[in-house]
Amino acid sequence: LVANTCASYGIPCTVRVLRRGLVAETSAARGKGTEEAARFLRYEAFEEEARKTGAEMVCVAHNRNDRLETILQRFLQGAGVLSSFGMRQHRGTYLRPLFDISRSEIEEYAARNNIQFRTDATNADNSYFRNRIRNSLIPFLNELEPGWDSAVLHGAEKNMAAADDINTSKKNASWTFVSFASG
């Protein structure tokens, strides 16, 4: 679908097919889960393609829902202030132009403009932690406390500012090391 859509607009498109078993191998080698391994390989492919084509920026389609899922996931995993804010709209060569737009708004836009899209079938697989957050926790929170999402995003913005302050302080700090001899 993506290759055909790009072709219809005259946009160059590269499709990368991973060797069967590579995600599992990467997961084992990195000592992390399959979701992290797949994300690692995806970003590795983005960076390789950007180098090949000379692209200065890589746009990814993370949206407001993805932000909320990431914030909740990190909270439930016990993240500290330096990572609890989720994802940034701009980080290095990556830009998220749909950052503040909800998935439902994107789908409504696509429907109004006859733009085909697909949803990854694995998004319904609740054996993945992130999908349990998406498919169970978020609908529960929506029912329990409407507006919770705006509060969580506002809190994440505060945590991002705090993390930026901490990182700036670490960079600007001057350290003096003192050793004590016993005797």
Side-chain angles (χ1 to χ4, degrees):
L1 175 67
V2 172
N4 289 338
T5 301
C6 287
S8 73
Y9 288 103
I11 299 170
C13 178
T14 300
V15 176
R16 176 90 42 114
V17 178
L18 299 179
R19 177 179 49 77
R20 183 173 293 285
L22 182 60
V23 173
E25 291 169 19
T26 303
S27 174
R30 292 174 60 80
K32 300 188 178 187
T34 56
E35 291 174 282
E36 190 281 336
R39 182 173 32 260
F40 172 80
L41 292 168
R42 185 170 54 247
Y43 278 84
E44 193 175 66
F46 290 159
E47 289 165 19
E48 184 180 323
E49 191 64 25
R51 279 191 305 274
K52 236 171 46 178
T53 62
E56 294 179 22
M57 190 68 54
V58 176
C59 294
V60 291
H62 291 123
N63 57 59
R64 188 175 196 271
N65 298 65
D66 296 313
R67 290 176 62 199
L68 288 164
E69 292 165 9
T70 300
I71 293 164
L72 290 172
Q73 183 175 9
R74 289 191 182 167
F75 171 77
L76 293 170
Q77 292 170 328
V81 70
L82 294 178
S83 64
S84 64
F85 54 81
M87 57 181 77
R88 294 180 183 275
Q89 185 167 23
H90 179 253
R91 181 181 56 84
T93 59
Y94 294 98
L95 178 65
R96 296 175 172 93
L98 304 175
F99 198 63
D100 291 317
I101 302 171
S102 72
R103 187 172 292 123
S104 62
E105 289 173 299
I106 294 166
E107 290 175 358
E108 288 168 14
Y109 178 87
R112 276 193 319 271
N113 293 281
N114 296 316
I115 299 171
Q116 291 184 333
F117 66 92
R118 293 210 177 115
T119 300
D120 188 328
T122 63
N123 285 354
D125 181 353
N126 281 343
S127 66
Y128 297 104
F129 182 46
R130 185 179 196 94
N131 290 351
R132 289 193 302 276
I133 291 170
R134 176 185 300 130
N135 300 326
S136 299
L137 181 57
I138 289 177
F140 172 76
L141 290 171
N142 287 338
E143 185 177 318
L144 178 71
E145 190 63 37
W148 69 271
D149 50 344
S150 295
V152 166
L153 290 173
H154 184 67
E157 294 291 333
K158 290 179 181 179
N159 285 351
M160 187 183 306
D164 290 344
D165 288 346
I166 290 168
N167 286 325
T168 299
S169 295
K170 284 178 7 185
K171 285 179 190 168
N172 296 332
S174 61
W175 299 92
T176 302
F177 294 94
V178 179
S179 63
F180 295 95
S182 61

